[in-house]
Amino acid sequence: MKTKNKALLLSLCAVLLVAASVMGTMAYLTSQDAVVNTFSVGSISMSLDEQDVDNSTPGENDRDKANAYHLLPGHTYVKDPIIHIGATSEDAWVFVKVENGIADYEAATVKGGYTNIADQITVTNGWTPLSGVEGVYYKEYTKNQNDKDLEVFAEFKVADNANDVEGWTNITADTHKINVTGYAVQKDGFSTAAEAWNTTFGANTQG
């Protein structure tokens, strides 16, 4: 009896040993895959400058942030504010606000001659007036791989009879200026320029 039990036990051990050996060398059909996410951040790069005409910043850079002008009747002055949009900036609404403090003394547009600041902005350079907001104009910028320059206007001329206009003798650097301010906001999320302006810069400048 003991001999039979011992033989049965040995047989079971042999079977388990074979089974373990087979399981240890068994190969499985497998497959594996993954999705890897990478992220980058969108941006808008914008700057504004104009030609240095009063030599206030001498050197290699002939662009400046401010100029001083000595006004004379009938004289034309270079003032060429340009908004620069950096390469790869996202699609954007671009705005420019022009506060012409010498409008009363500026020469009028003459066919074949001088074009006043307002007409240079809209007619010559294609900016669209923003409805209901005085002095604000806009353009749509579409993303590309190159820097983009958006000219606002190029010059201004003092009227020949400006010295006869009331207030001429009271003009000072503090009381009369031509202020130009550039703005840019992502186009995504805004269906119109008015919505973009009223939600962002317009909301910040009201009141």
Side-chain angles (χ1 to χ4, degrees):
M1 191 69 175
K2 290 182 178 180
T3 302
K4 289 184 178 181
N5 289 339
K6 187 176 181 180
L8 180 59
L9 181 59
L10 290 173
S11 297
L12 289 174
C13 288
V15 170
L16 290 174
L17 183 60
V18 172
S21 178
V22 171
M23 292 294 290
T25 58
M26 186 178 292
Y28 296 95
L29 298 177
T30 62
S31 179
Q32 184 174 331
D33 198 3
V35 173
V36 178
N37 294 311
T38 60
F39 299 92
S40 60
V41 178
S43 65
I44 296 175
S45 172
M46 186 212 72
S47 62
L48 173 66
D49 58 28
E50 64 185 21
Q51 183 175 333
D52 181 9
V53 299
D54 61 2
N55 201 33
S56 58
T57 57
E60 294 182 2
N61 184 8
D62 62 353
R63 306 295 296 176
D64 203 353
K65 292 290 186 181
N67 282 295
Y69 296 89
H70 182 67
L71 302 183
L72 297 172
H75 192 79
T76 300
Y77 300 84
V78 173
K79 185 174 179 65
D80 64 340
I82 297 176
I83 292 178
H84 308 281
I85 305 296
T88 72
S89 290
E90 300 297 324
D91 292 355
W93 293 107
V94 183
F95 301 92
V96 63
K97 183 176 183 180
V98 179
E99 300 168 281
N100 186 358
I102 63 164
D104 291 341
Y105 310 98
E106 184 188 4
T109 295
V110 177
K111 186 175 181 180
Y114 174 68
T115 301
N116 70 18
I117 289 175
D119 288 338
Q120 288 180 61
I121 296 170
T122 57
V123 178
T124 306
N125 292 318
W127 292 83
T128 302
L130 187 62
S131 180
V133 186
E134 184 178 0
V136 175
Y137 308 83
Y138 71 90
K139 280 190 174 186
E140 297 180 46
Y141 167 79
T142 302
K143 183 176 182 178
N144 60 68
Q145 300 301 312
N146 300 302
D147 293 339
K148 180 73 172 180
D149 292 338
L150 303 177
E151 298 180 7
V152 183
F153 58 93
E155 61 184 7
F156 70 92
K157 180 180 179 180
V158 178
D160 294 341
N161 64 340
N163 56 315
D164 293 330
V165 178
E166 183 178 356
W168 171 260
T169 57
N170 296 323
I171 292 178
T172 68
D174 294 325
T175 61
H176 293 74
K177 303 177 181 180
I178 302 177
N179 292 328
V180 182
T181 309
Y183 311 82
V185 61
Q186 66 184 57
K187 191 173 180 183
D188 184 64
F190 301 108
S191 57
T192 65
E195 179 187 5
W197 175 263
N198 292 331
T199 303
T200 55
F201 309 110
N204 296 331
T205 57
Q206 292 174 356

